[in-house]
Amino acid sequence: MKNIINVGQFSKEELLQICDAADYYKTHQSKVLIDKTVTCLFYQPSTRTFVSFIAAAQNLGANVIPIQGVEYSSVAKGESFEDTIKTLSLYSDCIVLRHPEVGAAQRAAEVSEVPIINAGDGIGEHPTQALLDLYTIRTEKKQIDGLHVAFVGDIKHSRTIHSLAKVLSLYDVKMSFVGPEELSCEKFMSEFPNSEYHEDIGAVIDKADVIYMTRVQKEYHEPNVGMKLDTFGRTKTYDYKITKELMVKAKSNMILMHPLPRLQEIPVELDKDPRSVYFKQVKNGLFVREALLLKVLGKDDE
Ligand code: NCD
């Protein structure tokens, strides 16, 4: 595997191998990337994805070039995206890229001398997040087939939903998309003919095995889209959330997921609920990204 651009590249067999490799790296240390350099180039804010890729590369012995403020690079002088990628690829063995435009990772792969890993391309895809989400579901629920997964929130703009739903469509999974109508997306949801759309989380709360919450992706909204006028004419952001009361109605073995960062949609008081697994997702990201770095750098058989 040269690049990781979207989840469509992975067969079920490969997904299984990556999950097994992540399991292995949970308990084993290896410095097989000692002669490799991994560049993390992020044009958009990030905490978990940026840091977990750096930690994963360092755990495997690689050197890391972290670039999180492109305003301090020649991008600020007007250098093209392609020239930036080409240049960094001459100093690295792999580039992990986050960028606000859909298709940026593919564009980078076309000029890069080394593999590109898509760490989020606008509202497009976030394949490495989908793999860590799949790994978390497998670890917590033991199997994927037969599950009912409800995606809640900003269906239209959440790249984490876009990638995970595509991965889950390889399995016998029932999917529900839940959220305000303005944030739903007919075109995307129609890719999953057996899925359902609901405006109200109450429609799925007692049926879902996995509830996958997301934040309103306000950075992608047109000014004032994503804002509703309340009865006093004031603007008000969407305030859908999962509450303690809803958790009482949910299955006792349901798992509550979120790619994070969370805003109002999961109150902190739910962190203590054993069904809340979002910080397990954070930790799993490290092992899955170790497995992925090894795969693109051709060291996955060592
Ligand atoms: C997500 C992203 O960047 O798409 N964050 C992440 O990588 N864990 C979700 C988000 O920003 O809401």
Side-chain angles (χ1 to χ4, degrees), residues 144-163:
I144 313 287
D145 285 322
L147 295 178
H148 179 174
V149 179
F151 292 102
V152 183
D154 196 342
I155 311 294
K156 191 172 185 173
H157 304 101
S158 288
R159 56 194 174 198
T160 60
I161 295 182
H162 299 166
S163 287

Side-chain angles (χ1 to χ4, degrees), residues 35-190:
D35 58 342
K36 303 289 183 193
T37 298
V38 174
T39 292
C40 292
L41 173 63
F42 279 50
Y43 286 75
Q44 281 185 303
S46 174
T47 299
R48 279 148 290 268
T49 310
F50 187 68
V51 174
S52 65
F53 263 113
I54 292 172
Q58 287 176 343
N59 285 352
L60 295 166
N63 293 315
V64 178
I65 302 175
I67 307 172
Q68 204 177 15
V70 288
E71 65 271 30
Y72 298 113
S73 73
S74 286
V75 169
K77 301 184 199 169
E79 184 164 57
S80 73
F81 174 66
E82 278 75 9
D83 282 359
T84 302
I85 296 292
K86 177 99 182 161
T87 300
L88 293 173
S89 77
L90 299 173
Y91 300 137
S92 332
D93 297 287
C94 166
I95 298 175
V96 181
L97 173 71
R98 171 170 288 188
H99 195 279
E101 284 164 31
V102 176
Q106 181 56 41
R107 268 172 64 203
E110 280 156 24
V111 293
S112 175
E113 305 280 335
V114 298
I116 299 289
I117 299 180
N118 181 4
D121 61 336
I123 63 166
E125 283 226 23
H126 195 344
T128 69
Q129 177 74 39
L131 294 178
L132 79 87
D133 291 338
L134 180 78
Y135 176 75
T136 303
I137 298 173
R138 187 181 88 149
T139 306
E140 298 299 317
K141 302 296 293 179
K142 307 298 175 231
Q143 62 162 30
I144 313 287
D145 285 322
L147 295 178
H148 179 174
V149 179
F151 292 102
V152 183
D154 196 342
I155 311 294
K156 191 172 185 173
H157 304 101
S158 288
R159 56 194 174 198
T160 60
I161 295 182
H162 299 166
S163 287
L164 182 58
K166 285 179 197 157
V167 165
L168 292 177
S169 69
L170 296 175
Y171 297 84
D172 175 23
V173 166
K174 179 178 168 58
M175 285 189 258
S176 296
F177 297 103
V178 182
E181 211 179 328
E182 307 90 300
L183 302 184
S184 71
C185 181
E186 196 52 53
K187 186 166 168 281
F188 168 70
M189 295 188 302
S190 67

